[in-house]
Amino acid sequence: MMNRIIYFIFCAVFIFSCSSKDRTPSGIIQPEAMKIILWDVMSAQFMAQEVAKGDSLISIVAETKALTQKVFKIHKITSADFDKSYDWYIKHPDVMKRIFDSLYTQKQRSHDLESNQKNLEHSLKKKVPVK
């Protein structure tokens, strides 16, 4: 009887630890929202580089910080909220990997859509005579 109780407790702890491993605690930005925020932050970083590339008086660091703060404002979070969540995801690489895999897929879809649109435009230009 005692062995069954110990076995039951062991199984319950094991199941609980496995299922709670992927749960995002309260106070941490949930994975789907984090994915969207990370996409926007990366886009802001890219935009900052492009802006700074075009104007030597603009600091990439300052522009990145300004655009990132705008992203946080849009998503109604603070940089502290983001940093706390990002630190949690870094400590849980399995969850972070799923987010980045999803971001990669999203980028691929976006790239494929752009390519298809350009191909369609090119095809239409060839077939429709312009006067």
Side-chain angles (χ1 to χ4, degrees):
M1 179 69 174
M2 187 62 155
N3 286 341
R4 286 185 184 199
I5 292 172
I6 291 172
Y7 178 76
F8 176 75
I9 291 171
F10 175 77
C11 288
V13 168
F14 180 76
I15 290 169
F16 177 74
S17 66
C18 289
S19 64
S20 66
K21 189 163 114 177
D22 287 348
R23 276 197 211 133
T24 310
S26 64
I28 300 298
I29 300 168
Q30 295 301 303
E32 191 60 31
M34 190 65 168
K35 179 183 90 167
I36 294 166
I37 294 167
L38 281 170
W39 179 266
D40 290 348
V41 166
M42 289 186 290
S43 297
Q45 290 172 343
F46 176 77
M47 286 173 48
Q49 289 176 352
E50 292 299 306
V51 168
K53 204 185 295 182
D55 188 345
S56 61
L57 297 176
I58 296 177
S59 162
I60 292 177
V61 173
E63 190 67 18
T64 300
K65 186 172 182 171
L67 291 176
T68 301
Q69 288 305 315
K70 286 181 182 181
V71 168
F72 294 159
K73 188 174 181 179
I74 289 168
H75 290 284
K76 298 180 174 102
I77 63 170
T78 65
S79 57
D81 296 334
F82 179 80
D83 292 343
K84 177 182 174 186
S85 297
Y86 192 78
D87 288 343
W88 185 87
Y89 283 104
I90 292 295
K91 292 174 184 166
H92 296 84
D94 53 326
V95 181
M96 182 67 110
K97 182 183 181 316
R98 284 195 299 261
I99 290 173
F100 277 109
D101 286 349
S102 180
L103 285 172
Y104 178 76
T105 302
Q106 181 177 338
K107 181 176 180 343
Q108 284 301 112
R109 269 191 248 133
S110 174
H111 182 265
D112 291 346
L113 187 61
E114 284 178 25
S115 294
N116 289 342
Q117 186 176 1
K118 286 179 183 176
N119 289 340
L120 179 61
E121 289 171 2
H122 182 69
S123 295
L124 290 174
K125 286 179 183 177
K126 283 179 142 179
K127 293 179 183 177
V128 179
V130 179
K131 292 184 182 184

